[in-house]
Amino acid sequence: MTDSGALAKIADAVEAGFDRQVAFLAQLVRFPSLRGNEAPLQDWFSREMAARGYAVDRYTLADVPLSSHPKAAPMVDADPASSVQVVAAHRAPNPTGRSLILQGHIDVVPEGPAEMWTHPPYAAVIRDGWMYGRGAHDMKAGVACMVFAMDAIRAAGFAPAADVYIQTVTEEESTGNGALSTLIRGYRADACLIPEPSGHTLTRSHTGTIWFRLRVRGVPVHVAVAQSGTNAIMSAFHLIQALQAHVARLNEAAKGDAWYGGIPDPLKFNPGIIRGGDWASSTPAWCEVDCRIGHLPGTDPKEAMRAVERVVAEAAKSDLFLANNPPEVIWTGFQTDGFVQEPGTDAERVLAEAHQAVHGAPMEERRSTAVNDTRYYGIDYGMPALCYGPKGEGAHAFDERTSIADLKLCTRTIARFIAEWCGLRPA
Amino acid sequence: MTDSGALAKIADAVEAGFDRQVAFLAQLVRFPSLRGNEAPLQDWFSREMAARGYAVDRYTLADVPLSSHPKAAPMVDADPASSVQVVAAHRAPNPTGRSLILQGHIDVVPEGPAEMWTHPPYAAVIRDGWMYGRGAHDMKAGVACMVFAMDAIRAAGFAPAADVYIQTVTEEESTGNGALSTLIRGYRADACLIPEPSGHTLTRSHTGTIWFRLRVRGVPVHVAVAQSGTNAIMSAFHLIQALQAHVARLNEAAKGDAWYGGIPDPLKFNPGIIRGGDWASSTPAWCEVDCRIGHLPGTDPKEAMRAVERVVAEAAKSDLFLANNPPEVIWTGFQTDGFVQEPGTDAERVLAEAHQAVHGAPMEERRSTAVNDTRYYGIDYGMPALCYGPKGEGAHAFDERTSIADLKLCTRTIARFIAEWCGLRPA
């Protein structure tokens, strides 16, 4: 137990540094760090970390032997060589406490039509206690929390008594290869905390996700004789309907699941991008649909992929054209495990105590229907992996925003967790 | 009746010029004269016509007051100023015969995925009596016929005894504004022949066509909470299904039509281009579908457009999201009348006699389920408008091709028609 005087000093330091923290978060949000364009943010971030005295390891996904790892996912439409990762290390001399990985992703998803945003998506406008912007909530707020929690400990005159790695990664929204690369590169610790915006709940579990592209090729003809051709767009829709029926069956079966039985339709199928055809008066010759489908923890992703292939092949049989021109299923990203962080770890106990101390109420838990990066740490590298972070709204949506008040509470909680988990020394 | 010696000389001249004609057609096919990119072909064509001694009027759609004409159609995604038209005039001194417009469009529709073509789409490969290529059939073969029919008359030592306008136009595949512009610019004649590839049949009638874009805007959310968002792609499919039901009702009603009652499902609805969404794991915020729908001759295009709007508005009511975020219908091109060239014109009689003489069999007729440019000449400017041309396959499809043997027969037929309709004089 860290003495209460030290903890009070650290809480004061969070308060004292909070204006700088909000400005730092605004800087993060102003980077349009869409997939393939994260490098400028990472360059800036690595300079910020170096200026704080951390040892900075900046590398790209082309620098690690990703492809030989069984959990690496295909990167379609993205270049590993431009996908920059940053690890800032606090190395404690003769460490006595428990080591920690603090990890956040800085890739954001596309903002969609600009006119549907109240404020420009990369302007970081603050209004009525919220900061608006793509990524403000998912998850640049969490990144700001972990950085300024560490800053507060130092500002209070202390340093963690164990190694702490502050990691900002890419590919969380598409493959998970950023997180995986830090592990392949060798970074390990006694626990991992990922401050995804969980609204101060512990993410007890997350479902798995598969990405794929349906590719339909048809024989176009003039619409004047359309009955003798086929319409690739409508054939793609036929496959979408079959996959909707598939996920409905999966959700029916999920009613008996230990973790997700109580959640209505925990598995989501999303046809997220569609493009097809070249001319309004030509029967479309091609259509492609980029999809995402979920599966329960415990399901082998390969098994979920085989199921998608079976559903598509079966649906193709009942479409005269597709039966002769089988549609393709192309794996375009995520092939992730679902994950359950089983209760009972000491890391969770320490986090729950920090939460209770800051919020004055017990830490609640959630069961997420979307992936986060904890799975690699928990499943593949056997460390307690806690997903817990600030509060906001509108992930992947318009007017995404994060609560400024909750940003501070979360920073205090994480700072306290670090202090208790790693122990403190005078700086 | 032109004397048979002159007609035989003209037929011989078609034969003698045929190698040049095939080479000319291959040149035409090698221009990728997609919408917006027709100008280089038109430049070359106008030089070819000038070299033959015609007076050439080359102008663009920005040079005529299109927008004030009630039958002009909106040009979305195309620039009138780069849409070049060519009229090559044979002006007969003291004309005694009947004047004639020969018109062909040189715009082609997109070729689609290259790998689905046996030969490159703009290579004009000849194999087993067919020339392959986008536009070879629809309708550059017809353009070659009309040019070389006139060439044969001159080569045989004659000239038409009346004015003949050889016109190559754009926008036939999207709006019809090219054809309309020639009429607004003032070109008139006693008859019009458009050698669209009808397989040596007279096109008795064609249906009307409307182009429109469905625009759906949704509120995207992370798929983890997809039940609280909406999927613009699926909402677009909802509208497509409603329009399919609409066209099925139209086709049911068409069973009683004087011209189309005998043709199964003469009215076609085609969702031809779709695009939507930005990210596989974000519920799509937007989707657009470019569509084409047909209507019967006699239906006012404005009435067909109001019906589309009603169907879309009605379908939106049964979709929780669309009901609150009404989809848009944007008019993107064709707003055409259907057209019936009533039997009994002298022009048709002369064409039928020429066909009989060349083919040794009566001219048959077809009722087309796609538009052609005759409507403006017939409906809006009151002249007999004949759509009759060579034989081929694969309009708007892969491996589009035209029959070389039929190209020659058609050229002979058109040359004979010109001779009989316009009369001949020694050149």
Side-chain angles (χ1 to χ4, degrees):
Chain A
M1 227 22 210
T2 310
D3 81 84
S4 58
L7 293 174
K9 278 188 193 167
I10 292 170
D12 288 347
V14 169
E15 188 68 44
F18 194 64
D19 285 351
R20 281 198 307 281
Q21 181 177 352
V22 171
F24 182 91
L25 174 57
Q27 291 261 46
L28 282 175
V29 172
R30 290 190 188 110
F31 287 99
S33 50
L34 294 155
R35 192 184 193 197
N37 193 37
E38 306 96 338
L41 184 156
Q42 293 285 58
D43 293 344
W44 173 82
F45 189 83
S46 63
R47 289 192 292 270
E48 284 282 325
M49 294 299 102
R52 282 165 169 78
Y54 297 113
V56 174
D57 178 15
R58 179 175 57 164
Y59 65 94
T60 80
L61 293 185
D63 298 328
V64 289
L66 256 182
S67 59
S68 60
H69 194 284
K71 294 295 176 69
M75 288 175 69
V76 173
D77 311 325
D79 176 11
S82 55
S83 199
V84 175
Q85 318 300 315
V86 176
V87 178
H90 161 75
R91 295 195 165 90
N94 304 313
T96 53
R98 290 168 293 192
S99 58
L100 179 65
I101 289 169
L102 297 167
Q103 192 255 51
H105 71 85
I106 49 73
D107 52 321
V108 299
V109 300
E111 66 277 10
E115 72 270 21
M116 295 190 73
W117 286 80
T118 306
H119 309 290
Y122 301 108
V125 168
I126 297 174
R127 201 187 66 195
D128 299 334
W130 297 85
M131 183 186 292
Y132 287 81
R134 170 59 79 236
H137 168 56
D138 181 11
M139 62 167 281
K140 291 174 175 177
V143 170
C145 286
M146 68 192 199
V147 169
F148 278 78
M150 287 290 285
D151 282 2
I153 289 170
R154 289 151 159 259
F158 302 100
D163 293 346
V164 178
Y165 300 117
I166 301 171
Q167 305 179 341
T168 48
V169 302
T170 68
E171 292 286 303
E172 194 275 342
E173 299 286 8
S174 47
T175 62
N177 287 348
L180 181 59
S181 79
T182 64
L183 291 154
I184 294 175
R185 202 162 171 89
Y187 294 102
R188 307 280 186 278
D190 295 316
C192 169
L193 173 69
I194 297 182
E196 285 269 12
S198 67
H200 312 295
T201 65
L202 180 77
T203 308
R204 173 62 64 208
S205 59
H206 70 69
T207 52
T209 291
I210 304 291
W211 267 19
F212 58 96
R213 178 171 295 163
L214 299 172
R215 177 175 288 169
V216 172
R217 283 279 184 277
V219 173
V221 294
H222 196 294
V223 284
V225 290
Q227 63 272 29
S228 65
T230 185
N231 184 317
I233 294 172
M234 298 313 295
S235 289
F237 184 43
H238 179 71
L239 299 180
I240 288 172
Q241 289 178 306
L243 287 159
Q244 287 180 318
H246 170 60
V247 82
R249 289 190 298 271
L250 293 180
N251 277 316
E252 190 59 35
K255 288 181 180 170
D257 185 74
W259 297 102
Y260 285 92
I263 298 176
D265 298 332
L267 303 177
K268 311 296 180 186
F269 165 65
N270 185 59
I273 307 175
I274 192 167
R275 51 191 167 268
D278 301 299
W279 196 249
S281 286
S282 298
T283 311
W286 62 277
C287 189
E288 294 185 346
V289 190
D290 286 5
C291 302
R292 175 266 196 213
I293 195 167
H295 57 267
L296 291 172
T299 299
D300 183 336
K302 298 292 178 197
E303 182 189 317
M305 292 159 70
R306 294 299 87 76
V308 166
E309 288 177 329
R310 277 196 305 275
V311 168
V312 169
E314 194 61 36
K317 283 186 199 166
S318 60
D319 181 294
L320 193 60
F321 170 77
L322 290 176
N324 292 317
N325 301 273
E328 289 177 79
V329 176
I330 298 160
W331 307 111
T332 47
F334 284 131
Q335 301 181 357
T336 76
D337 295 296
F339 172 53
V340 178
Q341 175 56 56
E342 297 282 347
T345 65
D346 206 40
E348 180 177 331
R349 183 189 57 73
V350 173
L351 181 62
E353 286 171 4
H355 175 94
Q356 173 79 48
V358 171
H359 289 266
M363 179 172 75
E364 295 185 353
E365 69 176 49
R366 65 170 188 152
R367 295 169 191 194
S368 173
T369 55
V371 292
N372 65 62
D373 278 337
T374 50
R375 63 192 181 279
Y376 299 114
Y377 304 90
I379 298 177
D380 302 300
Y381 290 84
M383 61 185 87
L386 307 174
C387 175
Y388 169 100
K391 184 174 156 186
E393 291 175 359
H396 296 218
F398 302 118
D399 289 345
E400 180 181 350
R401 59 185 184 164
T402 190
S403 160
I404 300 290
D406 284 270
L407 185 74
K408 191 189 291 179
L409 288 176
C410 189
T411 308
R412 283 177 55 195
T413 306
I414 290 175
R416 190 168 178 126
F417 170 72
I418 297 167
E420 297 285 11
W421 178 256
C422 302
L424 293 181
R425 286 183 184 159
Chain B
M1 232 12 216
T2 309
D3 81 83
S4 58
L7 295 174
K9 279 188 193 169
I10 292 169
D12 288 348
V14 169
E15 187 67 45
F18 193 63
D19 286 351
R20 281 197 306 282
Q21 182 177 352
V22 171
F24 182 92
L25 174 56
Q27 291 260 46
L28 283 175
V29 172
R30 290 190 188 110
F31 287 98
S33 49
L34 294 155
R35 192 184 195 196
N37 193 37
E38 306 96 338
L41 185 156
Q42 294 285 58
D43 293 344
W44 173 83
F45 188 83
S46 63
R47 289 192 293 269
E48 283 282 322
M49 295 298 101
R52 282 165 169 79
Y54 297 112
V56 174
D57 178 16
R58 180 177 55 165
Y59 65 95
T60 79
L61 294 185
D63 299 327
V64 291
L66 256 182
S67 59
S68 60
H69 195 284
K71 294 294 176 73
M75 289 174 69
V76 172
D77 310 324
D79 176 13
S82 55
S83 199
V84 174
Q85 318 299 316
V86 176
V87 179
H90 160 76
R91 295 196 166 88
N94 302 313
T96 53
R98 292 168 291 193
S99 58
L100 180 64
I101 289 168
L102 296 169
Q103 191 255 51
H105 71 85
I106 48 74
D107 52 322
V108 299
V109 299
E111 66 277 8
E115 71 272 18
M116 294 190 74
W117 287 79
T118 307
H119 309 290
Y122 301 109
V125 168
I126 297 175
R127 202 187 66 193
D128 301 334
W130 297 86
M131 182 185 293
Y132 288 81
R134 170 59 79 234
H137 168 57
D138 180 13
M139 65 167 279
K140 292 175 176 178
V143 170
C145 288
M146 69 191 201
V147 169
F148 279 78
M150 287 291 285
D151 282 2
I153 290 170
R154 289 152 160 257
F158 303 100
D163 293 347
V164 179
Y165 301 116
I166 301 171
Q167 305 178 342
T168 47
V169 302
T170 67
E171 291 286 303
E172 193 275 342
E173 299 286 8
S174 47
T175 62
N177 286 349
L180 181 58
S181 79
T182 66
L183 291 153
I184 294 174
R185 201 159 171 91
Y187 294 101
R188 305 280 187 279
D190 295 317
C192 169
L193 173 68
I194 297 182
E196 285 267 13
S198 67
H200 313 293
T201 65
L202 180 78
T203 307
R204 175 60 64 207
S205 60
H206 69 69
T207 51
T209 293
I210 304 292
W211 268 18
F212 58 95
R213 179 171 295 164
L214 300 173
R215 179 175 286 169
V216 172
R217 283 278 184 278
V219 173
V221 293
H222 195 294
V223 285
V225 290
Q227 62 273 26
S228 66
T230 185
N231 184 317
I233 294 172
M234 299 312 296
S235 289
F237 274 119
H238 178 70
L239 300 179
I240 288 172
Q241 290 177 306
L243 287 159
Q244 286 179 319
H246 170 60
V247 84
R249 289 190 297 272
L250 293 180
N251 278 316
E252 190 60 33
K255 288 181 179 170
D257 186 73
W259 297 102
Y260 285 92
I263 297 177
D265 298 331
L267 303 177
K268 312 295 181 187
F269 165 65
N270 186 59
I273 306 175
I274 193 167
R275 51 192 166 269
D278 301 299
W279 195 250
S281 287
S282 298
T283 310
W286 63 277
C287 189
E288 294 185 347
V289 190
D290 285 6
C291 301
R292 175 265 196 214
I293 195 166
H295 56 266
L296 291 172
T299 300
D300 184 336
K302 298 290 178 199
E303 183 188 316
M305 292 159 70
R306 294 298 87 75
V308 166
E309 288 177 329
R310 276 196 305 274
V311 167
V312 169
E314 195 60 35
K317 283 186 198 166
S318 60
D319 181 293
L320 194 60
F321 170 77
L322 290 175
N324 292 318
N325 300 273
E328 288 177 81
V329 177
I330 298 161
W331 308 109
T332 47
F334 285 131
Q335 299 181 358
T336 77
D337 294 297
F339 173 53
V340 177
Q341 176 55 56
E342 297 282 348
T345 65
D346 207 38
E348 179 176 331
R349 184 188 57 74
V350 173
L351 180 62
E353 286 172 2
H355 175 93
Q356 174 77 47
V358 171
H359 289 266
M363 179 173 74
E364 296 185 352
E365 69 176 51
R366 65 170 187 151
R367 295 169 190 192
S368 173
T369 54
V371 292
N372 63 61
D373 277 339
T374 51
R375 64 192 181 277
Y376 298 114
Y377 305 89
I379 298 177
D380 302 300
Y381 290 84
M383 62 185 87
L386 308 174
C387 175
Y388 169 99
K391 184 175 155 186
E393 292 176 358
H396 297 217
F398 301 118
D399 290 345
E400 178 180 350
R401 59 185 186 165
T402 190
S403 160
I404 300 292
D406 284 270
L407 185 75
K408 191 190 290 179
L409 288 174
C410 189
T411 309
R412 283 176 55 195
T413 305
I414 291 175
R416 191 169 178 125
F417 169 73
I418 297 168
E420 298 285 11
W421 179 257
C422 302
L424 293 181
R425 284 182 184 160

